[in-house]
Amino acid sequence: MRGEPADLDEEQLVRRVARGDRRAFEELYRRTSPWLTVRLRRRCADDQIVAEVLQETYLAVWRAADAFAGAAKGGSAVGWLWTIAARRLIDAFRRRAHHAAPPTAAAPGTVAAADEAVLDGVVGDEVGDALRRLAPELRQVLQAMVLDGLSVRETSVLLGVPEGTVKTRARRARIAMREALA
């Protein structure tokens, strides 16, 4: 792989990052951080969490670039990056939920969860209500596959469940949505 980092595609950049090439890492960051930030903000309105997740994501990329399988496994560099970021975002939500005091009661003016805010911004009325009534594990699968456009494999990695479980949950979610909207 010869050439300047600006002339390489994202997969080639990741391969160079795996060899410790800082210029390739800087180029990868320059190219991918804007869209990654936008995608993270679609899932989380807290700028501090988004900034932390972005930093953790690129740190993970620097440390684990040699683990990137790429096209050999049917993936892409940007898909791999998004999978890392999405997992880091879920970890951040879990940390925040773990450290938060348990709510005493839902009061008027209570701030909605990040996932609820995303749902409100993307879908409304009957469809949004039907989505909110889904079991959390079914809603997570639909959000990952439909709202984020992840594949079954990427959703499996993101949620930490087998691909077969993702397919089953997606089917159950579709059936539940169909019944709720009938």
Side-chain angles (χ1 to χ4, degrees):
M1 271 186 280
R2 292 191 173 140
E4 292 298 310
D7 300 330
L8 304 174
D9 65 23
E10 287 81 6
E11 185 168 338
Q12 292 168 323
L13 288 172
V14 172
R15 300 228 182 275
R16 280 203 174 174
V17 169
R19 293 193 312 254
D21 185 335
R22 288 186 183 274
R23 288 182 51 221
F25 180 78
E26 290 167 1
E27 179 65 19
L28 183 68
Y29 180 84
R30 186 192 65 72
R31 271 191 217 174
T32 59
S33 64
W35 70 261
L36 189 56
T37 301
V38 169
R39 288 195 78 174
L40 288 168
R41 283 188 178 141
R42 278 186 38 213
R43 300 292 299 264
C44 178
D46 187 328
D47 286 337
Q48 182 179 354
I49 290 175
V50 169
E52 288 172 12
V53 167
L54 204 62
Q55 182 177 6
E56 290 174 12
T57 299
Y58 285 100
L59 181 60
V61 167
W62 178 256
R63 290 180 175 166
D66 58 338
F68 172 64
K73 294 285 186 178
S76 68
V78 292
W80 180 68
L81 236 141
W82 170 243
T83 301
I84 293 170
R87 288 188 72 99
R88 296 296 186 271
L89 184 60
I90 290 170
D91 291 343
F93 285 153
R94 286 182 181 147
R95 281 191 306 269
R96 183 174 63 179
H98 178 71
H99 295 294
T104 52
T110 301
V111 177
D115 286 347
E116 296 298 321
V118 170
L119 286 177
D120 289 341
V122 176
V123 293
D125 304 329
E126 292 180 62
V127 175
D129 291 339
L131 276 170
R132 282 184 278 282
R133 285 194 301 268
L134 284 177
E137 66 273 8
L138 301 182
R139 187 171 51 243
Q140 288 174 336
V141 168
L142 276 188
Q143 284 177 324
M145 294 180 76
V146 176
L147 295 179
D148 291 330
L150 299 179
S151 68
V152 170
R153 177 181 295 161
E154 291 167 334
T155 301
S156 169
V157 171
L158 171 68
L159 300 177
V161 298
E163 289 182 32
T165 302
V166 169
K167 291 176 185 177
T168 300
R169 288 179 182 175
R171 183 174 182 280
R172 287 178 45 211
R174 286 187 199 103
I175 289 170
M177 289 294 292
R178 213 174 294 127
E179 289 172 357
L181 297 172

